[in-house]
């Protein structure tokens, strides 16, 4: 049995927590979408199910990336950064659509998570330095 004497840095720990929180949030959206798919009176079922499947896949990916980063798998960092940067255009279009109360925090989350993932302590913990 090997005990890792080098603790996970706070930046990586927070990144993992936030990725898992995002996964739960997207999972809740996916559950709501599934409920909406099943209870809608009229819908394009194929499109509705594809959107729901996308949300389920996104939640699973976020959860898996959080787990991989918790195990210090360096290959998980780039996909996690890409998913976080995807929050920027999503947030921007929300702001443009009059939902700034949600868009601005989403953009801040994406930038903050990216900062956590590229920070020096996280980079060292993942073996990039």
């Amino acid at each position: 049995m090997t005990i890792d004497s080098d603790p996970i840095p706070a930046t990586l720990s927070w990144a993992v927590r936030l990725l898992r929180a995002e996964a739960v949030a997207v999972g809740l959206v996916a559950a709501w979408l599934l409920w909406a798919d099943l209870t809608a009176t009229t819908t394009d079922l194929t499109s509705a199910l594809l959107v729901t499947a996308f949300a389920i896949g996104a939640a699973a990916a976020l959860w898996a990336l959080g787990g991989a980063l918790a195990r210090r798998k360096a290959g998980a960092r780039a996909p996690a950064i890409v998913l976080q940067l995807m929050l920027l255009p999503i947030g921007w279009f929300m702001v443009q659509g009059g939902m700034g109360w949600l868009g601005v925090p989403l953009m801040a989350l994406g930038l903050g998570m990216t900062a956590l993932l590229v920070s020096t302590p996280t980079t060292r913990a993942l073996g990039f330095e």
Side-chain angles (χ1 to χ4, degrees):
M1 177 176 177
T2 303
I3 298 175
D4 189 359
S5 62
D6 190 20
I8 293 177
T11 54
L12 182 55
S13 179
W14 273 105
V16 169
R17 284 186 196 120
L18 290 171
L19 279 169
R20 294 278 170 95
E22 289 176 9
V24 169
V26 174
L28 290 172
V29 169
W32 177 81
L33 286 170
L34 185 60
W35 177 80
D37 294 346
L38 297 174
T39 60
T41 55
T42 60
T43 185
D44 177 4
L45 186 59
T46 304
S47 295
L49 291 175
L50 285 173
V51 169
T52 303
F54 182 79
I56 292 168
L62 288 165
W63 189 268
L65 287 169
L69 286 170
R71 292 186 307 276
R72 297 183 186 201
K73 302 290 184 185
R77 184 171 83 158
I81 290 170
V82 168
L83 288 178
Q84 297 311 304
L85 291 176
M86 286 175 62
L87 292 175
L88 297 177
I90 292 169
W92 177 254
F93 282 108
M94 287 181 152
V95 168
Q96 295 298 310
M99 294 180 61
W101 59 272
L102 184 56
V104 170
L106 277 179
M107 291 190 302
L109 176 63
L111 290 173
M113 281 290 295
T114 300
L116 287 173
L117 290 167
V118 300
S119 68
T120 302
T122 297
T123 299
R124 283 189 188 128
L126 294 175
F128 287 114
E129 284 187 0

